[in-house]
Amino acid sequence: MTEPRRRPPGSTDVARLAGVSQKTVSRVMNGEQYVSDEVRERVLAAARELGYRRNTAARALNLGRFHRIGVASLGTSLFGPSSLLIALERRVREIGYAFTVVNTLEGEEGGIMKAVESLLEQGVDGIVLSEPIDEGQTLRIEADVPVLSFGELAGLDGPRVMVTGGSGVGAGRTATEHLLGLGHATVWHVAGPSRWFAARDRAQGWREALAAAGAPEPPMLEGDWSPASGYAAGRILAADPEVTAVFVANDDMAIGLLRALTEAGRAVPEQVSVVGMDDIPSAAYLSPPLTTIRQDFEATAAHGLELLVERIESGPGQAIRDDLPMELVVRRSTAPPKE
């Protein structure tokens, strides 16, 4: 005889096991406030034990919301974008939302808008734009859900657009000021690809710091974020005896630059000081350990999603544009120039 099919566990079952009301279960599952951490964990533990899953389709029909956040992310394994994406996913799940990602491809015409349209078709309550690049067109986003961009996009506009993230301009300025403060007459720069807004921001900060100090601006070299491109730039810079300080737009390129300098017999930091950016896990274990600008991707994700969820819950509000500070981590790849 076939056993009767068991019904899936419901919120009433979770409430009974956790010893709380069904309303409390609903509050926890919806990520609402006014629930203590102890009660929240008890409800979530009961849900895990029972294998409870929310019926998101029914919830969307009842409340007009999907409890899902969509992310348009550049499809890349680069440390910065991938770290931010991982931090976003972790944080989204912690606050009780579902998470949907649509990857864009560098060079794809209209890729960001295609990703936004795809997310809206799937049903999301908010959209995150992560690590955008310049597609050569104005981005007027008319979505009826709030849109959060991690970093400025040229031409980004829309009634529900918010912008946050670490300040690349501030990071470039801080790195350059550190090297100038050690006594270097000027600072060379190995930039990221010019289509990336993050690369442009870091280069702008470099220029601003040089101008403020009255230091000459050397020709800028451009890489593609890879160690190989940093190595190629390093070979050029190593051949110039006037080069004593270099700010590199990410740590991977800085690694390539360090190797080129070493091969050319230009000791770091005795002859050339180097600052990178990102503070990748290996940066502290290079020879010498790399001075760099640290981005706190967990804090960036948490802050951005707090803004986004607040706007989802409260409805339209004023435009938001803010920056999070980045930290200069001084190690042994920088020193005053030799007399």
Side-chain angles (χ1 to χ4, degrees), residues 89-109:
E89 181 174 16
R90 182 182 298 117
R91 183 58 182 162
V92 166
R93 296 189 188 283
E94 286 176 356
I95 63 177
Y97 277 72
F99 185 80
T100 300
V101 180
V102 174
N103 285 319
T104 63
L105 299 176
E106 187 168 357
E108 178 186 11
E109 185 176 354

Side-chain angles (χ1 to χ4, degrees), residues 13-202:
D13 302 305
V14 175
R16 188 179 303 111
L17 181 59
V20 299
S21 68
Q22 190 173 358
K23 178 62 177 176
T24 298
V25 173
S26 177
R27 285 175 174 165
V28 171
M29 293 303 169
N30 292 338
E32 297 178 12
Q33 299 177 349
Y34 314 116
V35 179
S36 70
D37 291 340
E38 186 273 330
V39 170
R40 187 182 305 278
E41 182 52 40
R42 200 162 76 233
V43 170
L44 293 175
R48 288 193 295 268
E49 181 177 338
L50 294 172
Y52 169 74
R53 297 288 185 274
R54 290 174 302 167
N55 187 333
T56 54
R59 186 178 186 280
L61 287 172
N62 290 334
L63 301 180
R65 285 174 47 199
F66 299 90
H67 227 67
R68 181 186 298 119
I69 289 173
V71 179
S73 177
L74 186 66
T76 177
S77 60
L78 290 169
F79 178 79
S82 60
S83 296
L84 182 58
L85 185 61
I86 291 169
L88 279 170
E89 181 174 16
R90 182 182 298 117
R91 183 58 182 162
V92 166
R93 296 189 188 283
E94 286 176 356
I95 63 177
Y97 277 72
F99 185 80
T100 300
V101 180
V102 174
N103 285 319
T104 63
L105 299 176
E106 187 168 357
E108 178 186 11
E109 185 176 354
I112 294 176
M113 288 306 303
K114 290 176 184 176
V116 169
E117 291 298 328
S118 176
L119 290 168
L120 292 173
E121 289 173 2
Q122 295 178 55
V124 294
D125 300 313
I127 292 175
V128 174
L129 305 179
S130 175
E131 288 297 336
I133 61 173
D134 189 355
E135 295 183 338
Q137 60 182 13
T138 299
L139 291 172
R140 174 71 183 179
I141 298 179
E142 298 286 356
D144 57 358
V145 300
V147 177
L148 173 73
S149 174
F150 282 106
E152 289 279 0
L153 284 81
L156 177 64
D157 192 17
R160 307 194 68 180
V161 169
M162 300 175 289
V163 179
T164 189
S167 171
V169 176
R173 191 184 302 118
T174 297
T176 307
E177 288 172 348
H178 168 67
L179 291 165
L180 293 172
L182 291 171
H184 295 276
T186 191
V187 178
W188 274 254
H189 182 44
V190 180
S194 59
R195 292 191 65 202
W196 288 64
F197 292 109
R200 296 180 188 179
D201 287 347
R202 295 166 198 183

